[in-house]
Amino acid sequence: MTTYIIRRILISIPVLLGVTVLNFFIVQLAPGSPADLYLDPNASPDYKERVEAALGLDQPIIVQYLNWLGQLLRGDLGLSYVSRAPVADVIGARIGPTLLLMGASLVVAYAIAVPVGILAARRKGTWADYTVVGGAFFGVSVPNFFLGLGLIYIFSLQLGWLPTGNMVTIGGGGGGLWDGLSHLILPVIVLSTAIAGNMVRYVRSSMVDALSEDYIRTAHAKGLAPGVVTRKHALRNALIPLVTVLTVDLAGLLGGAVVTEQIFQWPGLGMLTIQAISSRDYSVLMGVNLIAALAVFGANLLADIVYAVVDPRIEYS
Amino acid sequence: MGSLLQVRGLRTEFGSDAGSAVAVDEVSFDLDRGETICLVGESGSGKSVTALSIMGLLPRNGRVTDGEIRFDDVSLLDLSEPEMRENRGNSLAMIFQEPMTSLNPVLTIGDQLTEGMLLHLGLSRQDAAKRAVELLELVGVPRAEQIVRDYPHRLSGGMRQRVMIAMALSCSPALLVADEPTTALDVTIQAQILALMKRLAAASQTATILITHDLGVVAEMADKVAVMYAGQVVEEADVFELFDHPRHPYTVGLMKSIPHLGADDDARLESIPGSVPALANMPSGCRFQDRCPSVMDRCRAERPDLLETSTTGKHLVRCFLYSGEQAAVRDETTTAVAS
Ligand SMILES: Nc1ncnc2c1ncn2[C@@H]1O[C@H](COP(=O)(O)OP(=O)(O)OP(=O)(O)O)[C@@H](O)[C@H]1O
Ligand SMILES: [Mg+2]
């Protein structure tokens, strides 16, 4: 198992490198340069050139990339082109809020999706099943921004129950528990709706498959109560394929977080990404991309490990 | 006291969008303690549905709509589902055809083996675990102490079927239903498993319903045989009687289709021409009429009943060819009762 993990990590290094190369060049394809935003539009071309030289932007792209990579190997993500603060610090300040938002959304989504999916599978072909499938379809297909704006309109603007955005009330009497929660509710609903919708469909079909297996009939033939058969015999098997779904979800979640954080002005990595893109802050953007790639890779590795734990048929050597 | 198991006029239907289809109709047979009955017949003749009806394990769209199943003088069809669950895995046990998929891949052999004992026998975990090892040794699984901690994927098909047998026998059932328990196994393993079942059933006086379409297995295992065709029992007799004097044209056809040792190499195996009618359009009259070499006008008009044809032993046949003998038997019994 340990050798397997080490091998996986070693294999992932070239993949991660590839991701950084792609990121770097795609970012460079965007028109304009950080210096444009950095400088007064009336600054002389001469001055602009000097600034670009100072930032290293005058060098060929390959050289810029190798410089960046060299820094990275020394554990340095560089300085933000915009604020001149270390990228590591800029990102570090944003990770907490994003983890809070994504974690809460995942928990909520799974807490809803797993029991609902099981219910639909056990009542397959009844109105309860159709309702669940329809609801899940709605959850998957409603766009984040649409749901987000709709919720803000109803609960913040019309009813005035919940804040429109941010993590705490700005200038308010400091973040109490309710203050924090009230800011969390709407973004979590938006982010968890899509995950839950997806998840319900996976849980349901995975559970329908498990319930039709021969060993379920064996379990019934032993005289076990239906609840025991579902929980002990079907659920364990049904949850195994969902480990993969969880990791795929994580990638989708990162994308969803970008949009959701922007709508709710949630000060996390997603919002930072949008800011970095619009200010051509390449170094921050590269840092965020690297973190995202690492997260997805880490989730995949974790999934493989979890697989080996929950499925006795899998043995890594 | 009657037999351990009495099945009378069993009818099982499956509902679908297109209406309901009768998969098993007028199935009757008796079974005593320690006795083995084989259900034989082509694919789709209703053998599995009969077994599942007795176990109360029909799929959700299936339902017993007529008849009676008495087990140990209790009418199983009148039991509630929780009452039925107390019997299932306990006094009524079942083994399935597919050993490779009938065990849960994520639970240990020991866990699956002890489940029934914990539920029905109220054993403690230690006692159940001990008995699990004993059971595995009984069914000839080597290294039983380690196997209980292993997962099913490590075992071969034959070993898994032994585990299934151990599981079925764990609560000392009075009736064991085995639905083609060896069909998925290769021939040598098949013989071992059958020998094991025979030995264990004899030792514990367990009645067995053995489903098969292999007449060789029937000859080896059965005390008596019920031949099924298109959802009905068409002939029922003791195994020797049936092999010596098959009566129903379908049974005769089946017998001709088994290879005989010592027969000429170029002696062709006969198979019965035609195929089983679909559930949705059963012919009126005898269900075998379209494939029957001795079909008569009457067979197309009336439905034959399963009747006694022998005055000496038990031999039931559902065929008009024997209506003369059947009438004679009937007369004799009424005279006997009258005198
Ligand atoms: N769940 C079901 N829904 C509808 N019809 C069914 C269902 N299960 C079985 N049947 C029908 O019942 C009839 C009898 O099936 P059964 O499985 O008892 O046959 P069998 O004699 O066991 O055949 P085999 O030798 O292939 O196992 C078949 O015509 C089949 O199509
Ligand atoms: Mg069958």
Side-chain angles (χ1 to χ4, degrees):
Chain A
M1 187 76 191
T2 320
T3 22
Y4 173 78
I5 294 174
I6 292 171
R7 208 171 63 215
R8 275 290 303 267
I9 291 176
L10 289 180
I11 290 173
S12 73
I13 291 176
V15 178
L16 281 176
L17 268 183
V19 171
T20 61
V21 171
L22 271 181
N23 277 337
F24 201 84
F25 290 99
I26 289 173
V27 166
Q28 301 290 337
L29 284 178
S33 106
D36 292 337
L37 289 125
Y38 204 56
L39 294 175
D40 189 315
N42 300 321
S44 71
D46 184 46
Y47 182 61
K48 186 181 166 189
E49 264 170 37
R50 268 189 291 137
V51 169
E52 288 189 338
L55 292 173
L57 292 169
D58 56 341
Q59 288 165 316
I61 292 179
I62 307 271
V63 177
Q64 290 186 35
Y65 174 73
L66 290 177
N67 285 340
W68 179 83
L69 195 62
Q71 272 183 344
L72 181 69
L73 291 180
R74 274 174 270 120
D76 183 2
L77 287 169
L79 299 179
S80 159
Y81 286 143
V82 176
S83 66
R84 304 310 291 165
V87 171
D89 294 352
V90 175
I91 290 177
R94 302 296 193 105
I95 280 186
T98 292
L99 283 183
L100 175 65
L101 178 60
M102 298 207 326
S105 303
L106 269 183
V107 169
V108 169
Y110 277 61
I112 294 169
V114 173
V116 167
I118 293 173
L119 177 99
R122 288 183 67 176
R123 307 265 168 86
K124 186 179 166 227
T126 66
W127 65 265
D129 182 25
Y130 298 137
T131 313
V132 169
V133 172
F137 185 71
F138 171 81
V140 173
S141 36
V142 62
N144 275 345
F145 74 88
F146 182 80
L147 183 61
L149 294 178
L151 289 174
I152 290 177
Y153 179 76
I154 297 170
F155 292 101
S156 307
L157 302 182
Q158 294 295 315
L159 298 171
W161 291 351
L162 294 167
T164 57
N166 272 305
M167 242 178 99
V168 288
T169 311
I170 295 170
L177 182 63
W178 166 244
D179 189 57
L181 266 183
S182 66
H183 285 83
L184 197 54
I185 291 175
L186 291 185
V188 164
I189 292 179
V190 171
L191 208 46
S192 55
T193 298
I195 312 169
N198 221 353
M199 201 63 199
V200 162
R201 298 194 297 179
Y202 280 115
V203 172
R204 177 187 173 279
S205 70
S206 190
M207 198 67 189
V208 165
D209 287 349
L211 284 172
S212 68
E213 292 282 353
D214 287 346
Y215 55 76
I216 295 300
R217 197 180 45 185
T218 308
H220 282 298
K222 284 182 195 170
L224 299 174
V228 177
V229 176
T230 306
R231 266 176 280 120
K232 182 169 176 186
H233 287 267
L235 188 58
R236 282 223 203 154
N237 284 281
L239 289 183
I240 291 175
L242 299 184
V243 173
T244 311
V245 179
L246 179 62
T247 56
V248 174
D249 261 6
L250 189 84
L253 197 58
L254 285 169
V258 173
V259 177
T260 309
E261 289 187 3
Q262 186 62 21
I263 295 170
F264 290 99
Q265 294 299 297
W266 188 265
L269 286 176
M271 208 167 111
L272 180 66
T273 308
I274 303 266
Q275 287 168 349
I277 290 172
S278 46
S279 61
R280 304 285 184 280
D281 197 342
Y282 296 165
S283 49
V284 167
L285 206 48
M286 286 301 293
V288 174
N289 283 336
L290 190 64
I291 298 280
L294 273 176
V296 170
F297 162 73
N300 275 301
L301 181 59
L302 190 67
D304 282 346
I305 296 171
V306 171
Y307 258 123
V309 173
V310 296
D311 189 341
R313 285 163 298 187
I314 294 177
E315 283 161 31
Y316 300 119
S317 49
Chain B
M1 206 190 87
S3 305
L4 175 71
L5 178 73
Q6 294 171 295
V7 179
R8 288 280 167 275
L10 181 70
R11 180 213 288 266
T12 303
E13 300 184 35
F14 286 101
S16 71
D17 296 338
S20 86
V22 181
V24 158
D25 198 11
E26 297 176 40
V27 164
S28 305
F29 59 87
D30 287 5
L31 193 61
D32 284 327
R33 275 176 208 282
E35 227 181 7
T36 296
I37 188 171
C38 280
L39 301 186
V40 278
E42 281 165 293
S43 197
S45 55
K47 305 181 297 291
S48 297
V49 172
T50 304
L52 294 173
S53 303
I54 294 168
M55 293 295 296
L57 282 176
L58 287 170
R60 214 180 308 177
N61 61 335
R63 211 159 58 86
V64 175
T65 49
D66 197 11
E68 193 184 15
I69 302 172
R70 291 191 77 79
F71 172 69
D72 219 0
D73 283 316
V74 176
S75 168
L76 292 186
L77 297 176
D78 294 333
L79 294 184
S80 67
E81 174 53 27
E83 287 168 331
M84 196 61 203
R85 277 207 297 274
E86 283 173 22
N87 283 309
R88 231 180 266 139
N90 193 4
S91 51
L92 275 176
M94 183 155 182
I95 307 173
F96 300 95
Q97 176 173 348
E98 286 298 335
M100 298 311 277
T101 51
S102 291
L103 288 168
N104 193 325
V106 303
L107 301 176
T108 61
I109 306 277
D111 191 351
Q112 300 185 61
L113 206 45
T114 50
E115 231 176 353
M117 296 188 273
L118 294 173
L119 179 71
H120 297 298
L121 305 182
L123 295 184
S124 70
R125 282 195 176 276
Q126 290 91 326
D127 289 348
K130 234 173 75 195
R131 192 162 145 69
V133 173
E134 289 166 12
L135 281 164
L136 286 181
E137 283 165 355
L138 183 71
V139 297
V141 173
R143 301 183 300 112
E145 296 270 2
Q146 286 133 58
I147 296 287
V148 285
R149 269 174 270 124
D150 253 334
Y151 292 91
H153 71 276
R154 301 211 166 202
L155 302 185
S156 66
M159 282 299 147
R160 288 190 211 185
Q161 199 61 300
R162 285 172 196 264
V163 170
M164 289 295 292
I165 293 172
M167 221 156 79
L169 297 181
S170 63
C171 299
S172 314
L175 174 66
L176 175 66
V177 181
D179 190 350
E180 309 200 30
T182 57
T183 309
L185 305 174
D186 61 43
V187 187
T188 40
I189 309 291
Q190 184 170 344
Q192 291 170 11
I193 297 283
L194 289 174
L196 174 71
M197 287 181 57
K198 195 169 180 172
R199 180 164 59 77
L200 294 178
S204 56
Q205 281 295 292
T206 307
T208 308
I209 298 178
L210 179 63
I211 295 175
T212 179
H213 36 228
D214 183 344
L215 285 175
V217 171
V218 175
E220 187 64 34
M221 303 288 291
D223 294 308
K224 55 186 186 180
V225 187
V227 180
M228 293 192 65
Y229 183 80
Q232 293 180 321
V233 173
V234 292
E235 180 160 8
E236 187 192 334
D238 287 348
V239 63
F240 296 114
E241 169 74 11
L242 189 90
F243 276 89
D244 290 343
H245 308 288
R247 301 236 163 137
H248 196 282
Y250 177 64
T251 316
V252 175
L254 275 186
M255 299 277 178
K256 282 191 185 146
S257 65
I258 20 175
H260 287 284
L261 238 69
D264 291 347
D265 276 352
D266 55 346
R268 285 272 192 81
L269 278 186
E270 282 184 51
S271 65
I272 309 167
S275 58
V276 190
L279 291 186
N281 51 10
M282 275 301 161
S284 58
C286 174
R287 295 184 175 188
F288 190 57
Q289 55 179 278
D290 290 334
R291 301 171 73 186
C292 183
S294 339
V295 64
M296 307 175 285
D297 285 344
R298 189 177 175 195
C299 306
R300 303 198 192 280
E302 291 172 54
R303 306 184 83 186
D305 284 326
L306 185 66
L307 296 173
E308 186 64 69
T309 51
S310 154
T311 47
T312 51
K314 207 167 162 254
H315 197 146
L316 300 163
V317 179
R318 187 188 295 278
C319 183
F320 290 128
L321 287 177
Y322 304 98
S323 48
E325 293 166 52
Q326 288 167 341
V329 172
R330 203 163 47 239
D331 290 348
E332 191 163 306
T333 40
T334 34
T335 349
V337 168
S339 61

